[in-house]
Structure formats: C-alpha cells, structure tokens
Amino acid sequence: MHDGNQYRERIDDDWSELKSLGSVFDKISIMSLTVSKNGTYVFDERDKVGTLRYSRIVDGEREAPRPFSKEINTGKWTAHPFIALDESYIIWDSERRGGFGGVDLYISFREKDGSWGAAINLGDKINTSGADSGAKVTPDGKYLFFNRQVSAKDYNVYWVDAQIIETLRPNI
C-alpha cells in the first residue's frame, strides 16, 4: 500500500510500519502511485502537475524516475496514472485540446518496440463535460473505476466493464 513516497507491506492480517520507497524518491512529493507486476512505479507529483514519471527495476536495482514521452505528458494538466499489471497500457487524466470536458481520461498502449502509443481519449461513454479522473482497473481486469464530477463540489465513483479498454486497443 503506497502513501506518497512511502509504503506498507501486507503481513498476514496486518500492515508493516511505513517504509521509504528509496533515496531517489526522498525529494519527490508523490500524489498518486501505481505499480505493475514487474515492480515498475508510475506516478505523478503534487508539486509538478503535468508530468507523469516511471521507475523500473533494472538488474535488481530501482532506477531513478524518468518522465514519460510527449505521447503521455502533453496538455495543460496530466495526473492520476494507472499502469496495467502487465504494463500493456497506461490510463491517466489530462486537460488537453479535443476532449469532452475540462479533464478527460486517456489511454496509451505499449507498442511492439516498447514505446508508448498516441494518447487515445476514452470517449463519450466515459468522459463528460465535467472532470473525469482517477481511473483504476480491478486486479482481475474486469472493471474500470473512475471519478466523475457531478456538480461544482461533488464527485461520484463510476464503474464500467473493462472490456471498453479492448475496444480502444489498436490492431498492431
């Protein structure tokens, strides 16, 4: 369980004390962090809204965080990433041209060469004229949960069949 630049491990029916993510994260104010099965961290920063970063484990060591390419880090505002457990896609929210509202949800699929494909808006079945954000897919891959702004001060949690992701996946 991650909390900023710290985490807790599950121990039987309890949780460990808070532990540091490591010295490369000490000066980073992480807002939202997600992790793949391979241990890749994908996160945003409270102080630098607009840049999603990742950190992999390479040769058994955690690498220093790096920003994603412009396919993902484009727009006025980019935050709240979610990486698929198998690292085949990333979903995040962003304020950018061509959306349905102020903040929309986008997805990028991993290309055969390991790069990330162009951002794809999740469309009008997910995005509205309000702010749609904070998407997460359940560990079994069945459901996509996200937040939707329903009034100036209120957000509700919505969920849909995660099959919507497959309808957006390019045929490579």
Side-chain angles (χ1 to χ4, degrees):
M1 179 172 51
H2 292 92
D3 181 14
N5 60 1
Q6 298 178 315
Y7 70 99
R8 294 178 192 267
E9 292 179 313
R10 187 75 172 157
I11 303 170
D12 298 321
D13 293 334
D14 204 359
W15 294 96
S16 71
E17 294 298 317
L18 278 173
K19 300 177 180 186
S20 170
L21 291 176
S23 61
V24 296
F25 296 95
D26 286 347
K27 294 182 181 178
I28 299 173
S29 178
I30 296 174
M31 181 167 52
S32 179
L33 183 142
T34 180
V35 64
S36 73
K37 270 195 240 180
N38 292 335
T40 298
Y41 292 159
V42 175
F43 60 95
D44 57 2
E45 298 179 55
R46 290 186 197 283
D47 302 333
K48 295 181 183 178
V49 173
T51 302
L52 299 184
R53 299 182 187 281
Y54 67 94
S55 172
R56 301 172 300 171
I57 297 175
V58 178
D59 296 326
E61 298 291 324
R62 171 80 45 204
E63 70 179 353
R66 298 189 216 180
F68 280 99
S69 63
K70 65 179 173 39
E71 285 77 17
I72 294 171
N73 284 321
T74 297
K76 180 178 176 185
W77 191 80
T78 302
H80 309 116
F82 172 81
I83 188 167
L85 288 175
D86 65 0
E87 299 186 21
S88 64
Y89 62 85
I90 296 173
I91 302 174
W92 71 98
D93 42 273
S94 185
E95 184 176 343
R96 53 174 72 189
R97 289 185 185 177
F100 290 88
V103 177
D104 284 350
L105 288 163
Y106 291 85
I107 190 168
S108 175
F109 293 94
R110 175 87 72 177
E111 302 283 332
K112 286 183 181 179
D113 66 2
S115 65
W116 291 99
I120 300 168
N121 187 298
L122 265 62
D124 63 359
K125 289 184 175 56
I126 302 295
N127 292 310
T128 63
S129 59
D132 301 288
S133 62
K136 306 287 184 234
V137 176
T138 55
D140 62 8
K142 291 183 178 182
Y143 303 103
L144 169 69
F145 284 81
F146 59 96
N147 299 308
R148 176 175 291 159
Q149 185 177 20
V150 293
S151 71
K153 294 182 180 180
D154 290 321
Y155 286 78
N156 284 343
V157 176
Y158 287 79
W159 63 272
V160 297
D161 188 317
Q163 187 60 36
I164 194 165
I165 292 168
E166 296 309 315
T167 67
L168 297 169
R169 189 183 299 272
N171 294 328
I172 301 175

